Each structure stands twice: as structure tokens, then as C-alpha cells.
Amino acid sequence: MLLPRTNIEQKLSKLRSKEFDPSTWKTQIQEIFRRDERHEKQIIQNLDTKAERVGNTFDFDQLETSKIYHLNQIQKICIDYRLRFLDSRYFKGKLPASAISAIKELENKHQTTLKGFKIVAPSKLFKLENADDPLLFAPMGNDYFYLVHKWGNDLHPLRKTMMWFFKSFENLIFLTFLVSLLLTFMIPDGLFSKENSTSEFIMIFFFMFKSVAAVVLFYGFALGKNFNTAIWNSKYFNA
């Protein structure tokens, strides 16, 4: 006698009937989806709302140590790479579904509601008030933050080097010096006199330096630019 073939769908249906009441199964599913939708709406509202709370309640046994950062560490990275560390409500980009899922998973795991989210990202990704790699953090208290989610593309490998010149006034002067020196070397020989001399080179250099410095100052004041150390946690465009 041949054994009957196994119908996986029937087996699956029997297993479901053992665990759930078939007559209310549809209603249970609808309630699960409604609850999940309410949860997601609450998360989005918390992301767009300024929270007075400075820390969230976490189950430390469930935390990943590698995702805990101190404010000083975040500040140094923001200054080195010219990034901002601001409330999530200023973020003008659309949060990906993976970020919302990460928040829901974290809240379910720790049985809490997370608030006071912060994001590390370049200035262009924030809606800044006028006066390429976001990281979403939740405050833990005592200036510690927990990394909830990371998305987007990594920063350009030379961004730290390029942004070094904008860390301080001294660094900007050094950049102005280098640009002026390069422009001086680009002046053709004999353009101002028949003979080249050190004094002529120095005079041309000083002229170039003043010109470049004037352009830098005009650009800085006209567009309201500031140094990395001043803008890393400022919500103002021209901080």
C-alpha cells in the first residue's frame, strides 16, 4: 500500500488551527496590523517632536556595547568631518523603512517608547533655521547615546582631509596661504619685469594672499559660513 503524499498547506493549516481560533483568525490579524500601524505612527510623531526627556530607559542586558557612544566622541567626529548632530525633527530627508523597523524592534526588545532622537548628517540634510551618511541616535542620559540605525552611503574618503581646513581660523589661514602660494607660482616669468627676483615674488605673493583672503572673507560672510567647531550642534544655517 502506497503512503499518501504530504500536503504541506494542510499541515500548515492544522498547525494554525491548534494555535489560534479559526473563527477569529482574520480579526486577530487585523488587530495586529492596526497595532503595528499605530506603533509606527507614534514613532514618526516622536521623531518629529521635540522631547524634553534627555534619556530613555533601556534594558542593559539587551544593549550592544559597540553601539553606545559618548557625546564627546560624536562631537569630535562631527568636527573632523563637518557634520551636524541635531534633533531628528530637523532632518529633511525621508527616513527609510529600515530605520522605522529598527526603532520598533528596539522598543519591543526593551519594552519602552524611545524619544529625543538625534541624527548625525551633513548640513544639507537638515532643515536649518536661518540665523551622505546619517546616523540615528537615542539618548541614554549622562551624555551617552545609543546608535539605533545607520543608512545611506558612506562619506567620501577624502572628506576629513578636505574639511580639516574649515575646523578653525588657523586652518583656514593655512589654506589661504597654500592657495596664494600656488597662484603665485602660476604667474608667468617676466610678466611684471624682465628679471625675476625674490622681492618681486614676495610682492606678488602678498597681492595674491590679500586677494584670496578677500574672496574667502566675502564668501564666508555672504553665505553665513562658520567653522566646524561652531556648527556641529547648531540648528542655525549661519551659526
Side-chain angles (χ1 to χ4, degrees), residues 3-231:
L3 294 174
R5 300 178 70 86
T6 301
N7 187 319
I8 293 298
E9 182 182 357
Q10 290 179 354
K11 296 291 184 182
L12 188 60
S13 180
K14 288 181 180 179
L15 178 62
R16 182 185 61 191
S17 298
K18 289 181 181 179
E19 297 180 351
F20 300 96
D21 183 358
S23 62
T24 61
W25 176 239
K26 183 178 179 180
T27 305
Q28 294 177 61
I29 292 298
Q30 287 177 332
E31 180 56 31
I32 291 173
F33 276 99
R34 289 196 192 99
R35 188 164 58 245
D36 187 71
E37 185 178 358
R38 288 195 298 268
H39 189 188
E40 188 168 318
K41 286 181 178 179
Q42 183 62 51
I43 289 173
I44 295 174
Q45 182 180 345
N46 290 340
L47 285 165
D48 291 335
T49 304
K50 181 180 180 181
E52 299 300 329
R53 188 199 300 185
V54 294
N56 291 288
T57 303
F58 289 97
D59 179 0
F60 274 79
D61 293 333
Q62 302 282 350
L63 291 175
E64 297 180 42
T65 308
S66 61
K67 292 186 176 182
I68 300 175
Y69 297 89
H70 190 267
L71 181 63
N72 292 340
Q73 298 159 354
I74 297 173
Q75 177 183 359
K76 185 179 187 309
I77 291 299
C78 288
I79 291 175
D80 285 346
Y81 291 90
R82 197 172 177 82
L83 302 171
R84 302 232 187 178
F85 182 56
L86 298 175
D87 293 343
S88 57
R89 64 195 178 102
Y90 291 113
F91 189 71
K92 68 181 179 183
K94 184 177 181 181
L95 286 172
S98 55
I100 304 298
S101 297
I103 296 173
K104 286 196 290 187
E105 180 181 352
L106 199 61
E107 288 186 338
N108 291 333
K109 183 184 293 185
H110 295 268
Q111 294 298 300
T112 188
T113 299
L114 299 177
K115 294 182 179 180
F117 294 99
K118 296 270 190 177
I119 290 181
V120 169
S123 298
K124 63 182 180 180
L125 292 181
F126 288 103
K127 294 175 287 190
L128 301 178
E129 297 181 13
N130 192 11
D132 291 286
D133 179 38
L135 303 177
L136 178 66
F137 289 91
M140 300 175 64
N142 295 323
D143 287 339
Y144 282 93
F145 293 84
Y146 190 76
L147 177 61
V148 178
H149 190 61
K150 170 188 177 296
W151 71 96
N153 299 320
D154 291 334
L155 296 174
H156 192 281
L158 298 179
R159 182 181 178 91
K160 182 178 180 179
T161 302
M162 294 185 294
M163 297 306 167
W164 180 86
F165 298 106
F166 305 103
K167 286 180 67 174
S168 65
F169 180 74
E170 292 79 8
N171 293 12
L172 187 60
I173 290 294
F174 181 67
L175 174 63
T176 305
F177 176 85
L178 291 180
V179 173
S180 303
L181 194 62
L182 177 62
L183 291 175
T184 303
F185 278 116
M186 293 174 63
I187 299 296
D189 294 338
L191 181 63
F192 298 104
S193 65
K194 294 181 180 180
E195 296 182 0
N196 296 323
S197 62
T198 304
S199 59
E200 180 187 352
F201 179 86
I202 294 175
M203 289 179 62
I204 296 174
F205 170 76
F206 276 120
F207 174 78
M208 288 296 180
F209 184 84
K210 289 192 296 182
S211 301
V212 174
V215 172
V216 170
L217 289 174
F218 175 78
Y219 174 78
F221 282 110
L223 298 183
K225 298 298 181 180
N226 210 326
F227 300 109
N228 300 3
T229 51
I231 71 166

